[in-house]
Amino acid sequence: MKFYLPIILSLLFSSCAALKTDTAQLYDAYNKLSQEVKNGEIVLNRSEYFTTNYLKEVNPNDKNSLLLLKLSNYIYKDVSHYQIFNNNMGCLSINGIDKNNEPLSLHVEYNKKNDAWLVNYVFLSFIENRSAYTKEAICPRDVEKSILDKMQ
Amino acid sequence: MNPTRTELKITIAKLVEVAYSKDKGLATKIVRAKGSFKLTVDQNGDARLSGKMGAITFSGSETLDKIGANIKFVNVSFSNGGSSNIKYTAMIDIKSAKIAISGSFDIEKLITSCSGLLCRAARALKGRHHAYDMELQRIMEH
């Protein structure tokens, strides 16, 4: 048993490491994007963070269209985050607070292209209290459908 | 600068106010009727306040242009449970992204604010009017 214990432990830790790497991918991509927005470089480097489809609505010469690139700015502080993956698609849900300490949830759909996770769709939800924070990753189109159904 | 939660709430109030200024009688009937009513603005800026008592069409372009975020569509669902407190959920479309916001406000206070001098002054100025915005903020974030 003594002989097998290091092997078992090593397998256990390596699988944990692999899991951590996988689940951190979207959150890491989000943090990198968020930092780029804060640094004021997002307009210049937008193609590194967003899909071509998402960028169709962005005109660098129209400052009103740049909100699409800067939605991460709404989150002043992260509280929790969740991620799900389906092949080359993934969704990240972030709960946080804005600058006025009010809660919000950001749901981001990512597409994987050339090993980079690119934002393809976003749903930002200004919620009324923290009890409404999402407790799992939900893709933005599913959040949208659920709200539209309630609005009918 | 991204439009804030407060600015988006004020925009919803202003759209209701524009409908009210176009047809005070019908708008009052729509918002006071128990049940639900809707407010929509399409990609051309054509707005519509509708409920079981009827509908009012008006232009929402000027109101949306003021928040300057290329908002394409707005869809707001209001629910009147029978008191003056109205709950709402709004979905704002900026194409590749959507923003949802919900809350509640006192419709009587909104109507009162917009029949007063403050509201007329704001309309006359056709631009941002700080005191009017503050009054709407107080109502929407009571």
Side-chain angles (χ1 to χ4, degrees):
Chain A
M1 185 62 191
K2 274 182 185 175
F3 175 75
Y4 290 111
L5 192 61
I7 298 170
I8 293 167
L9 285 174
S10 130
L11 281 172
L12 189 66
F13 283 124
S14 64
S15 63
C16 283
L19 189 67
K20 188 175 183 301
T21 307
D22 278 340
T23 56
Q25 284 179 45
L26 299 185
Y27 190 58
D28 285 351
Y30 164 79
N31 278 327
K32 209 174 152 201
L33 161 66
S34 177
Q35 198 54 51
E36 198 83 298
V37 173
K38 283 176 187 144
N39 293 342
E41 300 291 329
I42 195 62
V43 179
L44 189 65
N45 299 327
R46 60 191 182 281
S47 58
E48 291 175 32
Y49 297 93
F50 297 93
T51 62
T52 313
N53 189 50
Y54 189 93
L55 291 174
K56 273 181 191 165
E57 300 300 325
V58 176
N59 174 1
N61 300 317
D62 173 11
K63 67 173 185 179
N64 285 337
S65 75
L66 303 183
L67 171 65
L68 281 170
L69 306 181
K70 299 175 179 176
L71 288 164
S72 64
N73 257 352
Y74 279 109
I75 297 190
Y76 178 66
K77 191 178 170 189
D78 298 3
V79 172
S80 56
H81 67 271
Y82 306 89
Q83 300 163 104
I84 47 170
F85 297 89
N86 185 4
N87 296 321
N88 285 331
M89 198 263 243
C91 294
L92 170 70
S93 294
I94 302 171
N95 294 315
I97 51 166
D98 62 18
K99 283 178 181 166
N100 296 319
N101 203 28
E102 292 185 275
L104 70 174
S105 297
L106 187 70
H107 304 272
V108 188
E109 178 190 295
Y110 283 90
N111 285 357
K112 196 173 191 181
K113 195 176 178 190
N114 301 330
D115 284 335
W117 287 101
L118 305 177
V119 174
N120 192 49
Y121 201 74
V122 178
F123 195 98
L124 172 68
S125 202
F126 288 113
I127 53 180
E128 288 185 82
N129 52 61
R130 293 184 188 208
S131 63
Y133 274 152
T134 184
K135 293 171 182 65
E136 59 182 335
I138 312 174
C139 290
R141 292 174 210 271
D142 292 335
V143 180
E144 182 180 340
K145 187 177 179 306
S146 159
I147 291 178
L148 281 173
D149 286 347
K150 283 180 195 161
M151 287 170 72
Q152 294 308 314
Chain B
M1 273 286 278
N2 294 0
T4 65
R5 180 190 310 239
T6 300
E7 284 169 337
L8 294 173
K9 285 183 175 182
I10 288 175
T11 300
I12 293 164
K14 281 182 177 172
L15 287 167
V16 174
E17 192 277 322
V18 177
Y20 183 78
S21 68
K22 186 165 184 197
D23 189 335
K24 187 177 170 181
L26 181 54
T28 305
K29 281 182 190 167
I30 291 170
V31 301
R32 279 190 175 149
K34 193 173 175 183
S36 64
F37 61 97
K38 286 186 183 301
L39 170 70
T40 55
V41 186
D42 68 17
Q43 60 184 342
N44 301 316
D46 295 329
R48 182 180 160 91
L49 180 77
S50 60
K52 58 188 171 190
M53 304 302 285
I56 301 168
T57 54
F58 56 99
S59 173
S61 304
E62 198 184 324
T63 310
L64 292 186
D65 286 349
K66 277 179 201 157
I67 50 172
N70 281 5
I71 290 172
K72 304 289 181 186
F73 302 94
V74 176
N75 183 355
V76 194
S77 176
F78 299 88
S79 160
N80 184 342
S83 66
S84 64
N85 189 50
I86 305 271
K87 290 183 179 171
Y88 67 91
T89 300
M91 181 97 78
I92 294 158
D93 189 329
I94 44 174
K95 288 290 179 184
S96 308
K98 307 283 185 290
I99 299 175
I101 189 162
S102 55
S104 61
F105 62 94
D106 188 322
I107 191 66
E108 297 302 329
K109 283 183 181 168
L110 186 65
I111 289 172
T112 311
S113 83
C114 285
S115 56
L117 189 64
L118 196 60
C119 202
R120 286 203 295 275
R123 261 186 239 126
L125 283 171
K126 294 235 176 222
R128 282 184 175 272
H129 187 281
H130 185 66
Y132 174 48
D133 283 3
M134 290 302 289
E135 174 71 3
L136 290 183
Q137 182 179 342
R138 195 182 57 75
I139 293 166
M140 298 304 278
E141 298 190 326
H142 57 96

